[in-house]
Amino acid sequence: MWLEGRVVMLRTVQLRYGSDNLGYLICGKSEAAAVDGGAVKEILAFLRSSGLRLSLVLNTHSHSDHTCGNRSLIESTGARHLGCSHLARRGGFELEDARVEVIPTPGHTSDSICFHLEGSLLTGDTLFCGRVGRCFTGDVEGFYRSIMRINSFPANTLILGGHDYVEEYMEFAAMVEPGNSAIAEYLDAYDPENVSASLGVERTVDPFLRLNASAVVKCLLERHLPLDTGLQRFRSLLSLM
């Protein structure tokens, strides 16, 4: 997919590694940035075949399954590493003449960030296709605010998460909303070679983006879970994961 910056066009390439991890290259005309670059061999091969120089090594958060490729990529290419906290303070970075916005989204981890290009969000383990990540920080209120910030983006924003858990997470969605016909449609459209969906589509299936849906409220009511506010419903859904 090509994403237009002010001067150059940026392209995102999804690279799968391990059993379900998803990493990315953000590519300009001559340079690229790796985000959660665990697919080291595939990244280096893509750079060679595309004639690109890797200039930056980045991460959505500091869990080892996302940072495992950092050292090899830096040693192989001479790329510069920018840490999550540094990027969050800077608010973004430039790749050639294009600006990539960095959005702090604490909750899964305290240093979780998302990368915003025009039309796309690289969301790491904050928001996957199908469901939010786990709240390892214990800061549920902060995590809720992060998800609500993501949910404020336009419906055509492409969500590019850090793992492929689509089939498992649609089981969770069906448990919460057994009558939701959009879940079957979502699974029909699922492509393990391109794990992505628009935020508008995510809003039809992900219970955490559907906190006001009557079926979600009913699910929590039947389980005698707190549901008076959006934060309470968010917290209650997390307890069901």
Side-chain angles (χ1 to χ4, degrees):
M1 63 213 74
W2 285 95
L3 306 166
E4 186 173 358
R6 290 187 177 182
V7 179
V8 302
M9 300 281 282
L10 293 183
R11 178 168 61 120
T12 60
V13 177
Q14 186 177 86
L15 295 147
R16 196 178 186 106
Y17 65 99
S19 61
D20 51 50
N21 273 83
L22 302 172
Y24 298 89
L25 280 173
I26 302 173
C27 305
K29 293 179 180 178
S30 60
E31 297 183 12
V35 179
D36 297 343
V40 174
K41 290 182 180 179
E42 293 82 355
I43 288 172
L44 295 177
F46 183 88
L47 293 170
R48 285 193 297 270
S49 65
S50 302
L52 294 171
R53 179 178 71 88
L54 190 69
S55 57
L56 294 171
V57 172
L58 315 169
N59 301 106
T60 58
H61 61 293
S62 56
H63 279 168
S64 61
D65 61 322
H66 294 262
T67 63
C68 58
N70 288 4
R71 176 173 292 184
S72 294
L73 288 174
I74 292 167
E75 291 177 350
S76 298
T77 66
R80 183 165 56 116
H81 176 253
L82 297 178
C84 297
S85 298
H86 175 71
L87 284 167
R89 289 192 299 270
R90 283 180 49 167
F93 66 93
E94 287 72 37
L95 185 66
E96 298 179 4
D97 292 321
R99 174 78 174 174
V100 177
E101 182 186 10
V102 172
I103 302 168
T105 51
H108 176 70
T109 61
S110 59
D111 66 351
S112 288
I113 56 177
C114 294
F115 296 90
H116 178 220
L117 298 83
E118 185 64 34
S120 291
L121 272 172
L122 277 63
T123 51
D125 288 7
T126 297
L127 178 66
F128 303 115
C129 285
R131 200 179 77 184
V132 303
R134 296 191 180 276
C135 184
F136 289 119
T137 61
D139 180 13
V140 175
E141 185 172 354
F143 195 23
Y144 171 74
R145 289 195 299 268
S146 295
I147 295 300
M148 292 304 103
R149 184 172 185 184
I150 292 172
N151 201 23
S152 71
F153 277 79
N156 63 354
T157 303
L158 193 67
I159 300 300
L160 298 165
H163 290 270
D164 175 9
Y165 296 144
V166 168
E167 293 176 321
E168 174 190 347
Y169 284 2
M170 285 305 97
E171 291 179 5
F172 177 83
M175 181 271 290
V176 176
E177 292 189 89
N180 187 349
S181 60
I183 295 171
E185 297 172 7
Y186 192 94
L187 284 170
D188 285 342
Y190 164 59
D191 178 4
E193 300 301 317
N194 178 22
V195 184
S196 62
S198 72
L199 185 56
V201 170
E202 290 299 315
R203 289 172 181 151
T204 68
V205 296
D206 183 344
F208 291 90
L209 304 181
R210 298 172 52 76
L211 295 173
N212 295 323
S214 59
V216 174
V217 173
K218 179 183 178 183
C219 171
L220 301 179
L221 184 64
E222 290 174 344
R223 288 164 173 77
H224 308 289
L225 293 169
L227 50 73
D228 289 343
T229 67
L231 175 58
Q232 286 182 340
R233 293 192 286 277
F234 185 84
R235 189 186 298 273
S236 292
L237 283 174
L238 284 177
S239 74
L240 297 178
M241 287 170 51

